[in-house]
Amino acid sequence: SLGITNLSCASRCIPIIRKMISQLNYGKLNHLKEEVLKLKDANEITELLKEKYGSLILEVNAKIKIDQLTHHF
């Protein structure tokens, strides 16, 4: 378990967020946590996350944008 007990998001994003979380690996996240704790600032953390999970983040963002477009009409 990742220890997430509460997560707030728009209901239409739940399937996307659920997919994103299901693709994460606890062992890798624990290692990532150790890397993050060694970094100096938020910019370094952002760059590391883009490097490690950039494609997943882009996929989620794209799905959210498509979902938002289809719900506006």
Side-chain angles (χ1 to χ4, degrees):
S1 169
L2 296 173
I4 298 171
T5 57
N6 193 354
L7 180 64
S8 178
C9 67
S11 60
R12 67 180 182 273
C13 296
I14 291 173
I16 297 164
I17 300 299
R18 193 175 278 164
K19 179 182 178 186
M20 182 178 171
I21 291 171
S22 73
Q23 292 180 11
L24 299 174
N25 174 289
Y26 179 77
K28 289 180 182 178
L29 287 177
N30 203 30
H31 178 73
L32 180 65
K33 175 189 73 172
E34 297 302 322
E35 289 183 62
V36 166
L37 291 173
K38 295 175 186 175
L39 300 177
K40 293 182 237 172
D41 58 35
N43 290 330
E44 288 186 0
I45 294 169
T46 299
E47 290 305 312
L48 177 65
L49 292 176
K50 283 181 185 176
E51 178 185 314
K52 300 279 186 181
Y53 296 102
S55 60
L56 181 58
I57 292 167
L58 289 174
E59 180 184 345
V60 169
N61 282 339
K63 287 182 179 179
I64 289 171
K65 286 179 184 177
I66 289 170
D67 187 62
Q68 288 172 340
L69 288 174
T70 58
H71 281 85
H72 284 285
F73 295 105

